[in-house]
Amino acid sequence: FYAPVPEVLYIYFKCYASSLPLGDDSICTAEELAKYSIIFTGKWSQTAFPKQYPLYRPPAQWSSMLGVTHSSDYSMWKKNEYASNGVRDFAEKGEAWVLMKEIEEAGEKIQSVHGIFSAPAISSGTGQTSTELQVHSRHPLVSFVVRIVPSPDWFVGIDSLNLCEGDHWMEEISVDLYPYDAGTDSGFTFSSPNFATIPQDTVTEITCSSPSHPANSFYYPKLKILPPIAQVTMVKLKKNQLGFPIPHLNQPVSDWPCDILNSVISVHSKNMWNSGR
């Protein structure tokens, strides 16, 4: 059973840590909750990245965003560490079920996760998608992944960005994003056939010179650095800007109705949550 990422989704985990987690986030003394708009902007154009730019079957595009707000006790992915099975499935195929289960289990076992959020896919290399997320003073970190489509196992994302600065929440932050290789598929090009990396490698940043192979779709030896392939901006919302009501779920992910898990239309998702279905 495979669940694509719903187009609009934010799930709170109702269990909170009874004590402050160890880590940088333990010093957050800001107000307990803050809500943000998160805007993902694709910058993957043929002008910026002309080499082997995918024009069809499929053309350059972005998967849905899948993200989580959490404490330092949880990690969705980290550079130079091995990708989890869930991150592997998402980076290679855009399948979210295993990753969502991993997030849920982390929330249940070590109470390190506050919520999951997602945003719609982008059907071209350039464009924007957005959603909202909520952070907690004990869970002020944000992580997410967006798959580069087509690609062997490449993605962009953020690992554990702390939105809390001591006694206050950041008002706005923008981060340039660069491609990463999940280390699970050995393809060099956007359209490479499936070729599992055995043994699995760690997550690495793809640069204009690494992998150092002329077949690499991002190999631009005349550049010093790749241009950002995407950007993400998070803006703190004022209380009068808060959007539609956020659901509280008492069910584990495995018990969610299939119409929720398979929802792929933004408006339908909003209406479904608001109607209490």
Side-chain angles (χ1 to χ4, degrees):
F1 175 62
Y2 140 60
V5 181
E7 293 288 338
V8 171
L9 169 66
Y10 193 89
I11 305 300
Y12 286 142
F13 286 87
K14 299 196 73 174
C15 53
Y16 294 102
S18 57
S19 60
L20 290 176
L22 299 176
D24 292 342
D25 50 310
S26 63
I27 60 173
C28 180
T29 57
E31 60 180 336
E32 188 175 57
L33 297 172
K35 194 168 184 180
Y36 285 81
S37 168
I38 179 169
I39 304 162
F40 177 89
T41 303
K43 296 187 173 185
W44 185 17
S45 68
Q46 189 172 11
T47 301
F49 299 91
K51 186 177 180 181
Q52 302 167 359
Y53 188 80
L55 295 174
Y56 58 92
R57 297 183 180 179
Q61 58 191 276
W62 299 95
S63 77
S64 300
M65 172 192 290
L66 180 59
V68 62
T69 57
H70 59 97
S71 72
S72 59
D73 295 321
Y74 171 79
S75 174
M76 174 182 271
W77 67 276
K78 281 191 178 298
K79 183 179 178 180
N80 299 326
E81 294 189 7
Y82 292 104
S84 68
N85 290 336
V87 171
R88 177 200 64 203
D89 286 357
F90 192 87
E92 288 188 10
K93 298 173 284 188
E95 295 180 0
W97 175 251
V98 175
L99 182 53
M100 292 173 74
K101 283 293 295 179
E102 291 173 352
I103 295 168
E104 180 207 12
E105 289 169 1
E108 290 177 344
K109 290 180 180 178
I110 56 177
Q111 300 181 347
S112 57
V113 173
H114 179 59
I116 303 174
F117 60 90
S118 77
I122 303 175
S123 60
S124 61
T126 58
Q128 286 190 336
T129 187
S130 64
T131 188
E132 294 177 358
L133 61 88
Q134 182 174 283
V135 282
H136 186 275
S137 58
R138 293 193 296 268
H139 306 83
L141 308 181
V142 175
S143 297
F144 71 81
V145 287
V146 180
R147 180 177 181 245
I148 297 173
V149 183
S151 75
D153 60 341
W154 302 342
F155 69 96
V156 297
I158 277 182
D159 166 35
S160 303
L161 176 66
N162 194 342
L163 294 180
C164 183
E165 294 184 308
D167 62 354
H168 68 279
W169 296 102
M170 291 185 183
E171 290 297 323
E172 182 174 342
I173 183 169
S174 292
V175 180
D176 287 333
L177 303 176
Y178 299 89
Y180 280 89
D181 186 318
T184 61
D185 190 293
S186 296
F188 271 123
T189 68
F190 296 120
S191 57
S192 292
N194 186 37
F195 182 50
T197 302
I198 302 175
Q200 181 176 335
D201 203 351
T202 57
V203 174
T204 56
E205 184 176 351
I206 300 171
T207 71
C208 57
S209 58
S210 179
S212 182
H213 193 292
N216 175 16
S217 290
F218 286 110
Y219 186 68
Y220 293 93
K222 293 183 179 180
L223 297 179
K224 291 184 178 180
I225 186 173
L226 286 177
I229 196 170
Q231 184 182 66
V232 66
T233 300
M234 282 168 270
V235 181
K236 186 174 179 289
L237 298 176
K238 301 183 187 301
K239 291 183 179 179
N240 62 1
Q241 291 179 290
L242 301 187
F244 61 92
I246 301 298
H248 290 265
L249 291 191
N250 296 311
Q251 301 166 279
V253 171
S254 57
D255 293 337
W256 295 354
C258 287
D259 61 344
I260 292 177
L261 287 172
N262 293 324
S263 173
V264 293
I265 301 176
S266 173
V267 174
H268 172 69
S269 296
K270 293 183 181 180
N271 291 340
M272 179 173 62
W273 288 125
N274 288 337
S275 63
R277 285 172 54 192

